[in-house]
Amino acid sequence: MSEIRLFVTTTERQAEAVLDRLSEVFGEEDFAIGTTEVDEKRDVWEASIYMMRADEEGVSERLTEALADGFTHLAIEREVLPDIDWIAKSLEGLAPVRAGRFVVHGSHDRDKVRTGEIAIEIEAGQAFGTGHHGTTAGCLEVLATVARTRTVRNVLDLGTGSGVLAIAAWKLLHVPVLATDIDPIATRVAEDNARRNGVVTGMTFATAPGFHSTAFSGNGPFDLIIANILARPLMKMAPQLTANLAPGGSVILSGILAEQRWKVLAHYNGQHLRHVRTIWRNGWVTIHLEK
């Protein structure tokens, strides 16, 4: 099934404004949104939303409605994208990613792992989170810091995706790790990746759409919660996430654009969590908090 891109062409400033509007409307859903520079000298940018063909009609109507206030001068254009596994293609030939002691690599780069590094092998095209994205690398860096400074007896990787962060936590800490995702395919991929990395005990995988799942009550509260998701759902779940955090526990939050960090921090400060550190990578931030 083909993927569709709906987009508008405008200036950088307006593209960012459109992106903010799309984040408000589609931020909690599985549609990718973003901006792309087309011509630097002429200040030409595109703001886009991506969907499968089956979702196009509904998304198009909502997009038109979202742009009705302040952006009616922008024409909505359409592009049909070829059926290519862009994740796998984009990662072809990429070097292993290093963050602290961690190195995330594909099977073709096993020989590039150095002595003393904690290797995590993740194949391209399986699920989001190969380590090449700034949010994943930021989480790995903060995870290493937490391991050096805190006693961690159990870990929750919320929104595990490929499982890279859960695998990293287990390999570094050797404590029980619960890895959850709302997508059963991601859960299965994460479990497969754990086996690929030699993790056969100590990790629990669960498809859990919310904190009401017994997976959380049965394995928590947690000394460390890692949540690399998106800003809006992170803000929404702040009370439940904090409730599942053990006293003195640490939280690593990511999937947050730099300009969204203050809103996220405000929600978690409201839950009486203390800000420890923020890491910046390629326009994204990773936030470390403590209870």
Side-chain angles (χ1 to χ4, degrees):
M1 183 183 293
S2 297
E3 189 176 16
I4 306 297
R5 179 173 77 106
L6 299 179
F7 64 99
V8 296
T9 303
T10 182
T11 63
E12 178 181 8
R13 184 174 181 179
Q14 281 227 314
E16 290 297 329
V18 171
L19 182 64
D20 288 342
R21 182 68 56 81
L22 296 184
S23 297
E24 294 172 3
V25 176
F26 299 100
E28 296 186 27
E29 301 175 55
D30 294 330
F31 302 114
I33 57 177
T35 58
T36 305
E37 185 180 46
V38 178
D39 189 321
E40 180 181 4
K41 290 183 178 179
R42 295 171 53 223
D43 190 24
V44 178
W45 286 67
E46 292 174 350
S48 308
I49 180 167
Y50 298 79
M51 74 230 64
M52 303 309 293
R53 190 185 295 272
D55 299 314
E56 181 182 2
E57 182 177 355
V59 172
S60 179
E61 291 177 358
R62 294 169 63 194
L63 177 61
T64 301
E65 183 178 346
L67 300 182
D69 182 13
F71 302 101
T72 53
H73 61 291
L74 300 178
I76 298 175
E77 301 177 72
R78 177 180 185 269
E79 179 184 14
V80 179
L81 302 175
D83 293 327
I84 297 175
D85 187 343
W86 288 108
I87 298 176
K89 189 172 182 62
S90 67
L91 293 175
E92 289 176 358
L94 281 183
V97 171
R98 289 180 165 86
R101 290 178 58 201
F102 297 107
V103 55
V104 184
H105 65 90
S107 58
H108 58 287
D109 279 328
R110 289 173 186 165
D111 60 336
K112 296 181 181 178
V113 178
R114 302 166 185 164
T115 302
E117 289 185 324
I118 299 175
I120 305 167
E121 184 174 308
I122 303 291
E123 288 306 307
Q126 293 183 315
F128 179 80
T130 60
H132 291 88
H133 197 277
T135 61
T136 308
C139 286
L140 290 172
E141 187 174 334
V142 178
L143 170 60
T145 300
V146 171
R148 289 195 303 268
T149 59
R150 312 287 292 183
T151 298
V152 178
R153 290 172 291 269
N154 62 349
V155 178
L156 167 63
D157 179 20
L158 187 68
T160 193
S162 67
V164 61
L165 297 175
I167 296 166
W170 189 90
K171 285 197 168 192
L172 182 63
L173 298 164
H174 296 287
V175 299
V177 177
L178 171 64
T180 69
D181 205 285
I182 63 173
D183 183 353
I185 296 176
T187 308
R188 186 171 67 249
V189 166
E191 191 166 5
D192 290 344
N193 281 332
R195 285 195 294 268
R196 178 194 300 274
N197 282 271
V199 184
V200 293
T201 61
M203 290 185 67
T204 302
F205 301 87
T207 301
F211 275 103
H212 58 273
S213 170
T214 56
F216 300 105
S217 58
N219 292 275
F222 302 92
D223 290 322
L224 172 61
I225 298 178
I226 308 170
N228 182 12
I229 311 177
L230 289 171
R232 191 175 293 272
L234 285 175
M235 290 186 285
K236 185 177 180 181
M237 67 176 60
Q240 297 98 321
L241 190 152
T242 304
N244 282 271
L245 184 65
S250 293
V251 177
I252 301 173
L253 304 178
S254 202
I256 305 163
L257 290 168
E259 60 267 25
Q260 299 171 322
R261 68 192 186 282
W262 297 117
K263 291 181 180 179
V264 175
L265 277 170
H267 279 73
Y268 284 85
N269 287 339
Q271 299 300 316
H272 308 292
L273 296 190
R274 181 178 67 87
H275 176 238
V276 179
R277 182 188 182 196
T278 295
I279 288 179
W280 301 63
R281 281 179 178 261
N282 303 322
W284 298 83
V285 299
T286 300
I287 299 172
H288 177 199
L289 302 151
E290 290 181 350
K291 191 171 186 178

